[in-house]
Amino acid sequence: MSRAADRLKRVIHHLDRPRPQLTVFDTSAQSVSCHHPSAFRYTLDTDVLSPEQRLFYESNGYLLIKNLVSDEDIDKFREEFEKICRREVEVPGLLVMRDIAIAKSEFVPDQKAVSKLQDFQDDPELFRFCTLPQIVKYVECFTGPNIMAMHTMLINKPPDTGKKTSRHPMHQDLHYFPFRPSDRIVCAWTAMERVDRSNGCLVVLPGTHRGTLKQHDYPAWEGGVNKMYHGVQDYSPEHPRTHLVMEKGDTVFFHPLLIHGSGMNRTQGFRKAISCHYASADCYYIDVKGTTQENIEEEVKGIALRKHGLGDDITLKDTWAFRGRLVKGERTSL
């Protein structure tokens, strides 16, 4: 961890009340084969995925596993979310976000005011999602045995106010990540209730993970766009798309180059999902200056300056280095 990232971590933990030490899923005693057949680029042979599942992910860039997380676990995550919204729990480094339409209205001190919790790695209950054995065993098929939880979110998509601000533009998650290689990064996204087109399910463009990282920026949408919701600027609207209808506990794993987004929530309820981006601990950081990711680095630096009073020497990779948490194996690089 760089000096700047270490300073960022110390500032955040000084400003927030400390939390108990995390308990993570320890599988160090297991011996897992990670033979990588030459025919496969995006998946590893851990005897978890069937040949058909591997071929599907290789071709499409995502894989949906039904009924992977129990109702009991999801209900506990929901309870913790509600405690955070009521400010009964303080979490160091947690970013609480509101939909732009809600943010302009009178503040409501409950979950209706919150559209997303980001960076919950220091909340033991929510972080437990990232360490669930049934999740980790699938993650290892994409990352290998040394696994870092890098980015955590609980999304509470609000009912759309009519301004279409509950949409999430089509994007590639790699736009936000200054670490590589992309093929050893994967997202696990779990529905906390039924998710379909009426409440804004994920929509994916199958096969786009085989492309490159595209230029992202804020779309010119009437009604405004939520903070940090950058979108791909030049994808083809004619590309076939798939809407992922999911039941409570269903989990989709997808590649960080897969172009995806979500539609408006046309219901009166809040659509909840919980997710974690994992990366192999063998991944390495890159300098994004002079790349398509330079605009997100400048935005992140601005937030670090306003929220924590940090200097201009903070880089995008510094802001990620303090977030990562080892889930399994050894922290070899990240």
Side-chain angles (χ1 to χ4, degrees), residues 124-149:
E125 180 55 45
L126 292 182
F127 190 75
R128 193 171 58 81
F129 166 78
C130 307
T131 68
L132 290 173
Q134 65 270 37
I135 295 276
V136 174
K137 78 173 184 178
Y138 279 99
V139 169
E140 190 166 9
C141 302
F142 309 104
T143 64
N146 297 321
I147 304 174
M148 296 287 294

PDB file of all heavy atoms in Angstrom, residues 124-149:
ATOM      1  N   PRO A 124     -19.079  -5.599   9.532  1.00  0.00           N
ATOM      2  CA  PRO A 124     -18.941  -7.062   9.603  1.00  0.00           C
ATOM      3  C   PRO A 124     -20.130  -7.823   9.029  1.00  0.00           C
ATOM      4  O   PRO A 124     -19.947  -8.854   8.364  1.00  0.00           O
ATOM      5  CB  PRO A 124     -18.770  -7.340  11.102  1.00  0.00           C
ATOM      6  CG  PRO A 124     -18.226  -6.067  11.660  1.00  0.00           C
ATOM      7  CD  PRO A 124     -18.854  -4.971  10.853  1.00  0.00           C
ATOM      8  N   GLU A 125     -21.346  -7.339   9.255  1.00  0.00           N
ATOM      9  CA  GLU A 125     -22.526  -8.074   8.790  1.00  0.00           C
ATOM     10  C   GLU A 125     -22.649  -8.005   7.277  1.00  0.00           C
ATOM     11  O   GLU A 125     -22.826  -9.036   6.616  1.00  0.00           O
ATOM     12  CB  GLU A 125     -23.785  -7.541   9.456  1.00  0.00           C
ATOM     13  CG  GLU A 125     -25.066  -8.253   9.016  1.00  0.00           C
ATOM     14  CD  GLU A 125     -25.005  -9.764   9.207  1.00  0.00           C
ATOM     15  OE1 GLU A 125     -24.561 -10.218  10.280  1.00  0.00           O
ATOM     16  OE2 GLU A 125     -25.404 -10.503   8.275  1.00  0.00           O
ATOM     17  N   LEU A 126     -22.551  -6.822   6.688  1.00  0.00           N
ATOM     18  CA  LEU A 126     -22.676  -6.733   5.239  1.00  0.00           C
ATOM     19  C   LEU A 126     -21.490  -7.389   4.537  1.00  0.00           C
ATOM     20  O   LEU A 126     -21.661  -8.040   3.493  1.00  0.00           O
ATOM     21  CB  LEU A 126     -22.798  -5.265   4.802  1.00  0.00           C
ATOM     22  CG  LEU A 126     -24.089  -4.550   5.203  1.00  0.00           C
ATOM     23  CD1 LEU A 126     -24.095  -3.127   4.671  1.00  0.00           C
ATOM     24  CD2 LEU A 126     -25.320  -5.311   4.724  1.00  0.00           C
ATOM     25  N   PHE A 127     -20.286  -7.240   5.119  1.00  0.00           N
ATOM     26  CA  PHE A 127     -19.125  -7.859   4.486  1.00  0.00           C
ATOM     27  C   PHE A 127     -19.206  -9.389   4.507  1.00  0.00           C
ATOM     28  O   PHE A 127     -18.568 -10.062   3.692  1.00  0.00           O
ATOM     29  CB  PHE A 127     -17.829  -7.397   5.147  1.00  0.00           C
ATOM     30  CG  PHE A 127     -16.594  -7.806   4.393  1.00  0.00           C
ATOM     31  CD1 PHE A 127     -16.234  -7.153   3.231  1.00  0.00           C
ATOM     32  CD2 PHE A 127     -15.819  -8.865   4.821  1.00  0.00           C
ATOM     33  CE1 PHE A 127     -15.110  -7.538   2.513  1.00  0.00           C
ATOM     34  CE2 PHE A 127     -14.692  -9.260   4.117  1.00  0.00           C
ATOM     35  CZ  PHE A 127     -14.339  -8.595   2.949  1.00  0.00           C
ATOM     36  N   ARG A 128     -20.015  -9.923   5.398  1.00  0.00           N
ATOM     37  CA  ARG A 128     -20.196 -11.380   5.444  1.00  0.00           C
ATOM     38  C   ARG A 128     -20.698 -11.915   4.106  1.00  0.00           C
ATOM     39  O   ARG A 128     -20.399 -13.059   3.727  1.00  0.00           O
ATOM     40  CB  ARG A 128     -21.160 -11.733   6.578  1.00  0.00           C
ATOM     41  CG  ARG A 128     -21.203 -13.219   6.932  1.00  0.00           C
ATOM     42  CD  ARG A 128     -22.011 -13.445   8.216  1.00  0.00           C
ATOM     43  NE  ARG A 128     -23.369 -12.930   8.094  1.00  0.00           N
ATOM     44  CZ  ARG A 128     -24.365 -13.593   7.485  1.00  0.00           C
ATOM     45  NH1 ARG A 128     -24.137 -14.794   6.948  1.00  0.00           N
ATOM     46  NH2 ARG A 128     -25.570 -13.075   7.417  1.00  0.00           N
ATOM     47  N   PHE A 129     -21.450 -11.073   3.365  1.00  0.00           N
ATOM     48  CA  PHE A 129     -21.883 -11.473   2.021  1.00  0.00           C
ATOM     49  C   PHE A 129     -20.686 -11.861   1.171  1.00  0.00           C
ATOM     50  O   PHE A 129     -20.714 -12.867   0.441  1.00  0.00           O
ATOM     51  CB  PHE A 129     -22.651 -10.334   1.348  1.00  0.00           C
ATOM     52  CG  PHE A 129     -22.846 -10.532  -0.129  1.00  0.00           C
ATOM     53  CD1 PHE A 129     -23.818 -11.396  -0.605  1.00  0.00           C
ATOM     54  CD2 PHE A 129     -22.057  -9.864  -1.056  1.00  0.00           C
ATOM     55  CE1 PHE A 129     -23.994 -11.598  -1.975  1.00  0.00           C
ATOM     56  CE2 PHE A 129     -22.220 -10.043  -2.419  1.00  0.00           C
ATOM     57  CZ  PHE A 129     -23.194 -10.915  -2.886  1.00  0.00           C
ATOM     58  N   CYS A 130     -19.624 -11.070   1.245  1.00  0.00           N
ATOM     59  CA  CYS A 130     -18.447 -11.283   0.403  1.00  0.00           C
ATOM     60  C   CYS A 130     -17.708 -12.571   0.745  1.00  0.00           C
ATOM     61  O   CYS A 130     -16.896 -13.056  -0.050  1.00  0.00           O
ATOM     62  CB  CYS A 130     -17.485 -10.106   0.533  1.00  0.00           C
ATOM     63  SG  CYS A 130     -18.230  -8.499   0.242  1.00  0.00           S
ATOM     64  N   THR A 131     -17.954 -13.113   1.933  1.00  0.00           N
ATOM     65  CA  THR A 131     -17.219 -14.274   2.404  1.00  0.00           C
ATOM     66  C   THR A 131     -18.073 -15.541   2.437  1.00  0.00           C
ATOM     67  O   THR A 131     -17.608 -16.579   2.903  1.00  0.00           O
ATOM     68  CB  THR A 131     -16.670 -14.016   3.821  1.00  0.00           C
ATOM     69  OG1 THR A 131     -17.763 -13.940   4.749  1.00  0.00           O
ATOM     70  CG2 THR A 131     -15.862 -12.736   3.872  1.00  0.00           C
ATOM     71  N   LEU A 132     -19.315 -15.463   1.965  1.00  0.00           N
ATOM     72  CA  LEU A 132     -20.175 -16.649   1.968  1.00  0.00           C
ATOM     73  C   LEU A 132     -19.511 -17.772   1.171  1.00  0.00           C
ATOM     74  O   LEU A 132     -19.117 -17.570   0.021  1.00  0.00           O
ATOM     75  CB  LEU A 132     -21.542 -16.326   1.367  1.00  0.00           C
ATOM     76  CG  LEU A 132     -22.468 -15.415   2.188  1.00  0.00           C
ATOM     77  CD1 LEU A 132     -23.712 -15.056   1.381  1.00  0.00           C
ATOM     78  CD2 LEU A 132     -22.864 -16.090   3.501  1.00  0.00           C
ATOM     79  N   PRO A 133     -19.383 -18.959   1.751  1.00  0.00           N
ATOM     80  CA  PRO A 133     -18.685 -20.058   1.054  1.00  0.00           C
ATOM     81  C   PRO A 133     -19.274 -20.366  -0.320  1.00  0.00           C
ATOM     82  O   PRO A 133     -18.518 -20.648  -1.263  1.00  0.00           O
ATOM     83  CB  PRO A 133     -18.844 -21.242   2.009  1.00  0.00           C
ATOM     84  CG  PRO A 133     -19.053 -20.635   3.353  1.00  0.00           C
ATOM     85  CD  PRO A 133     -19.801 -19.355   3.115  1.00  0.00           C
ATOM     86  N   GLN A 134     -20.600 -20.306  -0.448  1.00  0.00           N
ATOM     87  CA  GLN A 134     -21.218 -20.636  -1.735  1.00  0.00           C
ATOM     88  C   GLN A 134     -20.935 -19.574  -2.789  1.00  0.00           C
ATOM     89  O   GLN A 134     -20.944 -19.867  -3.993  1.00  0.00           O
ATOM     90  CB  GLN A 134     -22.730 -20.855  -1.575  1.00  0.00           C
ATOM     91  CG  GLN A 134     -23.538 -19.624  -1.162  1.00  0.00           C
ATOM     92  CD  GLN A 134     -23.675 -19.472   0.343  1.00  0.00           C
ATOM     93  OE1 GLN A 134     -22.747 -19.759   1.088  1.00  0.00           O
ATOM     94  NE2 GLN A 134     -24.845 -19.020   0.779  1.00  0.00           N
ATOM     95  N   ILE A 135     -20.657 -18.337  -2.365  1.00  0.00           N
ATOM     96  CA  ILE A 135     -20.244 -17.292  -3.304  1.00  0.00           C
ATOM     97  C   ILE A 135     -18.781 -17.475  -3.677  1.00  0.00           C
ATOM     98  O   ILE A 135     -18.395 -17.461  -4.855  1.00  0.00           O
ATOM     99  CB  ILE A 135     -20.451 -15.891  -2.688  1.00  0.00           C
ATOM    100  CG1 ILE A 135     -21.941 -15.605  -2.438  1.00  0.00           C
ATOM    101  CG2 ILE A 135     -19.811 -14.814  -3.571  1.00  0.00           C
ATOM    102  CD1 ILE A 135     -22.701 -15.091  -3.602  1.00  0.00           C
ATOM    103  N   VAL A 136     -17.942 -17.648  -2.660  1.00  0.00           N
ATOM    104  CA  VAL A 136     -16.491 -17.707  -2.864  1.00  0.00           C
ATOM    105  C   VAL A 136     -16.095 -18.877  -3.764  1.00  0.00           C
ATOM    106  O   VAL A 136     -15.178 -18.762  -4.574  1.00  0.00           O
ATOM    107  CB  VAL A 136     -15.762 -17.774  -1.500  1.00  0.00           C
ATOM    108  CG1 VAL A 136     -14.266 -17.998  -1.691  1.00  0.00           C
ATOM    109  CG2 VAL A 136     -16.004 -16.496  -0.707  1.00  0.00           C
ATOM    110  N   LYS A 137     -16.800 -19.998  -3.642  1.00  0.00           N
ATOM    111  CA  LYS A 137     -16.419 -21.158  -4.464  1.00  0.00           C
ATOM    112  C   LYS A 137     -16.620 -20.879  -5.955  1.00  0.00           C
ATOM    113  O   LYS A 137     -15.871 -21.385  -6.798  1.00  0.00           O
ATOM    114  CB  LYS A 137     -17.175 -22.412  -4.024  1.00  0.00           C
ATOM    115  CG  LYS A 137     -18.606 -22.512  -4.495  1.00  0.00           C
ATOM    116  CD  LYS A 137     -19.198 -23.881  -4.152  1.00  0.00           C
ATOM    117  CE  LYS A 137     -20.606 -24.031  -4.716  1.00  0.00           C
ATOM    118  NZ  LYS A 137     -21.173 -25.374  -4.421  1.00  0.00           N
ATOM    119  N   TYR A 138     -17.618 -20.057  -6.287  1.00  0.00           N
ATOM    120  CA  TYR A 138     -17.799 -19.659  -7.685  1.00  0.00           C
ATOM    121  C   TYR A 138     -16.794 -18.590  -8.083  1.00  0.00           C
ATOM    122  O   TYR A 138     -16.244 -18.624  -9.188  1.00  0.00           O
ATOM    123  CB  TYR A 138     -19.226 -19.153  -7.918  1.00  0.00           C
ATOM    124  CG  TYR A 138     -20.232 -20.261  -8.109  1.00  0.00           C
ATOM    125  CD1 TYR A 138     -21.045 -20.674  -7.065  1.00  0.00           C
ATOM    126  CD2 TYR A 138     -20.356 -20.910  -9.335  1.00  0.00           C
ATOM    127  CE1 TYR A 138     -21.970 -21.698  -7.229  1.00  0.00           C
ATOM    128  CE2 TYR A 138     -21.273 -21.939  -9.514  1.00  0.00           C
ATOM    129  CZ  TYR A 138     -22.078 -22.328  -8.455  1.00  0.00           C
ATOM    130  OH  TYR A 138     -22.979 -23.352  -8.628  1.00  0.00           O
ATOM    131  N   VAL A 139     -16.544 -17.638  -7.192  1.00  0.00           N
ATOM    132  CA  VAL A 139     -15.583 -16.575  -7.487  1.00  0.00           C
ATOM    133  C   VAL A 139     -14.234 -17.161  -7.873  1.00  0.00           C
ATOM    134  O   VAL A 139     -13.563 -16.691  -8.803  1.00  0.00           O
ATOM    135  CB  VAL A 139     -15.439 -15.635  -6.271  1.00  0.00           C
ATOM    136  CG1 VAL A 139     -14.259 -14.688  -6.453  1.00  0.00           C
ATOM    137  CG2 VAL A 139     -16.724 -14.843  -6.059  1.00  0.00           C
ATOM    138  N   GLU A 140     -13.825 -18.214  -7.169  1.00  0.00           N
ATOM    139  CA  GLU A 140     -12.525 -18.828  -7.427  1.00  0.00           C
ATOM    140  C   GLU A 140     -12.406 -19.361  -8.847  1.00  0.00           C
ATOM    141  O   GLU A 140     -11.300 -19.471  -9.386  1.00  0.00           O
ATOM    142  CB  GLU A 140     -12.273 -19.941  -6.414  1.00  0.00           C
ATOM    143  CG  GLU A 140     -10.868 -20.471  -6.445  1.00  0.00           C
ATOM    144  CD  GLU A 140     -10.524 -21.322  -5.235  1.00  0.00           C
ATOM    145  OE1 GLU A 140     -11.430 -21.644  -4.448  1.00  0.00           O
ATOM    146  OE2 GLU A 140      -9.334 -21.654  -5.090  1.00  0.00           O
ATOM    147  N   CYS A 141     -13.539 -19.645  -9.481  1.00  0.00           N
ATOM    148  CA  CYS A 141     -13.526 -20.112 -10.868  1.00  0.00           C
ATOM    149  C   CYS A 141     -13.066 -19.023 -11.830  1.00  0.00           C
ATOM    150  O   CYS A 141     -12.691 -19.311 -12.975  1.00  0.00           O
ATOM    151  CB  CYS A 141     -14.914 -20.579 -11.287  1.00  0.00           C
ATOM    152  SG  CYS A 141     -15.610 -21.892 -10.279  1.00  0.00           S
ATOM    153  N   PHE A 142     -13.106 -17.772 -11.370  1.00  0.00           N
ATOM    154  CA  PHE A 142     -12.747 -16.642 -12.231  1.00  0.00           C
ATOM    155  C   PHE A 142     -11.453 -15.956 -11.789  1.00  0.00           C
ATOM    156  O   PHE A 142     -10.719 -15.431 -12.622  1.00  0.00           O
ATOM    157  CB  PHE A 142     -13.883 -15.625 -12.248  1.00  0.00           C
ATOM    158  CG  PHE A 142     -15.223 -16.224 -12.552  1.00  0.00           C
ATOM    159  CD1 PHE A 142     -16.157 -16.435 -11.544  1.00  0.00           C
ATOM    160  CD2 PHE A 142     -15.558 -16.611 -13.832  1.00  0.00           C
ATOM    161  CE1 PHE A 142     -17.388 -17.005 -11.813  1.00  0.00           C
ATOM    162  CE2 PHE A 142     -16.783 -17.188 -14.123  1.00  0.00           C
ATOM    163  CZ  PHE A 142     -17.715 -17.387 -13.105  1.00  0.00           C
ATOM    164  N   THR A 143     -11.171 -15.968 -10.497  1.00  0.00           N
ATOM    165  CA  THR A 143     -10.015 -15.237  -9.977  1.00  0.00           C
ATOM    166  C   THR A 143      -8.821 -16.121  -9.667  1.00  0.00           C
ATOM    167  O   THR A 143      -7.689 -15.641  -9.630  1.00  0.00           O
ATOM    168  CB  THR A 143     -10.382 -14.499  -8.679  1.00  0.00           C
ATOM    169  OG1 THR A 143     -10.720 -15.472  -7.670  1.00  0.00           O
ATOM    170  CG2 THR A 143     -11.556 -13.551  -8.888  1.00  0.00           C
ATOM    171  N   GLY A 144      -9.055 -17.406  -9.385  1.00  0.00           N
ATOM    172  CA  GLY A 144      -8.012 -18.247  -8.827  1.00  0.00           C
ATOM    173  C   GLY A 144      -8.078 -18.229  -7.306  1.00  0.00           C
ATOM    174  O   GLY A 144      -8.966 -17.611  -6.709  1.00  0.00           O
ATOM    175  N   PRO A 145      -7.131 -18.898  -6.616  1.00  0.00           N
ATOM    176  CA  PRO A 145      -7.251 -19.159  -5.181  1.00  0.00           C
ATOM    177  C   PRO A 145      -6.962 -17.976  -4.264  1.00  0.00           C
ATOM    178  O   PRO A 145      -7.373 -17.991  -3.101  1.00  0.00           O
ATOM    179  CB  PRO A 145      -6.234 -20.278  -4.942  1.00  0.00           C
ATOM    180  CG  PRO A 145      -5.200 -20.072  -6.012  1.00  0.00           C
ATOM    181  CD  PRO A 145      -5.956 -19.587  -7.209  1.00  0.00           C
ATOM    182  N   ASN A 146      -6.233 -16.968  -4.734  1.00  0.00           N
ATOM    183  CA  ASN A 146      -5.949 -15.789  -3.900  1.00  0.00           C
ATOM    184  C   ASN A 146      -6.969 -14.702  -4.224  1.00  0.00           C
ATOM    185  O   ASN A 146      -6.900 -14.087  -5.287  1.00  0.00           O
ATOM    186  CB  ASN A 146      -4.530 -15.288  -4.147  1.00  0.00           C
ATOM    187  CG  ASN A 146      -3.481 -16.307  -3.767  1.00  0.00           C
ATOM    188  OD1 ASN A 146      -3.615 -17.005  -2.764  1.00  0.00           O
ATOM    189  ND2 ASN A 146      -2.437 -16.425  -4.575  1.00  0.00           N
ATOM    190  N   ILE A 147      -7.913 -14.480  -3.308  1.00  0.00           N
ATOM    191  CA  ILE A 147      -9.104 -13.683  -3.627  1.00  0.00           C
ATOM    192  C   ILE A 147      -9.194 -12.450  -2.739  1.00  0.00           C
ATOM    193  O   ILE A 147      -9.179 -12.541  -1.516  1.00  0.00           O
ATOM    194  CB  ILE A 147     -10.386 -14.530  -3.462  1.00  0.00           C
ATOM    195  CG1 ILE A 147     -10.308 -15.798  -4.318  1.00  0.00           C
ATOM    196  CG2 ILE A 147     -11.611 -13.710  -3.831  1.00  0.00           C
ATOM    197  CD1 ILE A 147     -11.454 -16.754  -4.103  1.00  0.00           C
ATOM    198  N   MET A 148      -9.324 -11.293  -3.396  1.00  0.00           N
ATOM    199  CA  MET A 148      -9.545 -10.021  -2.707  1.00  0.00           C
ATOM    200  C   MET A 148     -10.958  -9.518  -3.000  1.00  0.00           C
ATOM    201  O   MET A 148     -11.415  -9.560  -4.149  1.00  0.00           O
ATOM    202  CB  MET A 148      -8.546  -8.971  -3.186  1.00  0.00           C
ATOM    203  CG  MET A 148      -7.094  -9.272  -2.881  1.00  0.00           C
ATOM    204  SD  MET A 148      -6.695  -9.062  -1.139  1.00  0.00           S
ATOM    205  CE  MET A 148      -6.920  -7.283  -0.975  1.00  0.00           C
ATOM    206  N   ALA A 149     -11.664  -9.053  -1.964  1.00  0.00           N
ATOM    207  CA  ALA A 149     -12.904  -8.305  -2.148  1.00  0.00           C
ATOM    208  C   ALA A 149     -12.509  -6.844  -2.310  1.00  0.00           C
ATOM    209  O   ALA A 149     -11.944  -6.239  -1.397  1.00  0.00           O
ATOM    210  CB  ALA A 149     -13.821  -8.488  -0.949  1.00  0.00           C
TER     211      ALA A 149
END
